[in-house]
Amino acid sequence: MVLARLTVLAGPSGVGKGTVAALVAARYPKVYLSVSATTRAARPGEAEGRSYFFVSREAFEAAQEAGEMLEWAAYNGNLYGTPRQAVEDALGAGRPALLEIDLAGARQVRRAMPGARQVFLMPPSWAELERRLTERGTETDSERAARLATAEREILARDEFDYVLTNDDLDRTVASLAAIMGLD
Ligand code: 5GP
């Protein structure tokens, strides 16, 4: 029996990880797309339980201390984590699972689950990443500057990943990720 595998999708904020992951999950319904918990406030249009589980810092820390997070990280002042049980249930049921997380989280998964595939998504250019983050219009100037500084650090670590994809064509990126995940 081939065990379903976990795939991690990392990459800088604004690169389009969320869009790529959502399209793969929509095209391949057997894929389990993990829903993270976060302490950040919901953006307009984000739905509880679909985009994230929006929780208080106290609730997050309690879950983390109880061992309920597969991985977690602080990102620009907020906490983000992957609820462990849902991922384990999906893998146990033979569903390939996909996590869209930051670099620190990807490193934790690499240590805890060395069999997981690690994919890093690159922007076509730095200017394009800046443009996408600005156009999204969901962050303040200082929040955006912090995300760009984090992005620079994350991009420097891309060689740690098994695969590096450049998101210059959404359809091609989705097809490449699906191929890496062994989806047909
Ligand atoms: P955003 O605030 O833009 O939704 O997410 C900020 C960063 O946190 C992104 O790089 C996103 O991939 C990452 N992130 C989202 N969920 C998780 C998670 O569960 N764990 C970790 N480590 N990072 C996450």
Side-chain angles (χ1 to χ4, degrees):
M1 189 186 85
V2 179
L3 278 178
R5 281 175 68 185
L6 184 65
T7 302
V8 168
L9 182 63
S13 176
V15 75
K17 298 188 295 284
T19 305
V20 169
L23 282 172
V24 167
R27 277 184 208 171
Y28 301 92
K30 71 174 174 186
V31 170
Y32 171 70
L33 177 57
S34 169
V35 179
S36 299
T38 183
T39 63
R40 87 152 159 73
R43 294 179 190 137
E46 285 186 332
E48 164 69 19
R50 194 154 49 82
S51 315
Y52 280 106
F53 296 106
F54 296 98
V55 300
S56 67
R57 188 166 276 262
E58 293 69 30
F60 189 105
E61 286 171 350
Q64 189 260 316
E65 277 159 25
E68 292 168 12
M69 297 295 182
L70 182 62
E71 61 72 37
W72 69 280
Y75 179 94
N76 285 358
N78 283 301
L79 303 178
Y80 295 78
T82 303
R84 179 192 301 279
Q85 191 66 52
V87 174
E88 290 183 351
D89 288 351
L91 293 174
R95 298 180 68 189
L98 181 58
L99 310 186
E100 186 239 295
I101 59 179
D102 81 335
L103 175 64
R107 285 176 169 159
Q108 287 171 53
V109 174
R110 192 175 302 139
R111 280 194 300 273
M113 303 172 82
R117 299 178 186 89
Q118 296 260 346
V119 184
F120 191 88
L121 199 55
M122 282 285 289
S125 67
W126 183 255
E128 179 63 14
L129 186 70
E130 281 182 319
R131 193 186 65 77
R132 289 184 194 178
L133 262 180
T134 308
E135 273 192 358
R136 188 161 86 180
T138 47
E139 282 87 21
T140 61
D141 286 354
S142 70
E143 167 77 7
R144 196 161 56 238
R147 281 176 181 255
L148 283 169
T150 304
E152 216 172 342
R153 284 199 305 276
E154 296 202 316
I155 286 171
L156 285 173
R158 67 186 179 279
D159 290 347
E160 292 176 15
F161 287 76
D162 303 321
Y163 304 89
V164 178
L165 299 177
T166 300
N167 192 20
D168 48 11
D169 178 296
L170 190 55
D171 275 340
R172 218 168 44 215
T173 306
V174 169
S176 300
L177 181 59
I180 289 168
M181 293 178 71
L183 306 169
D184 30 74

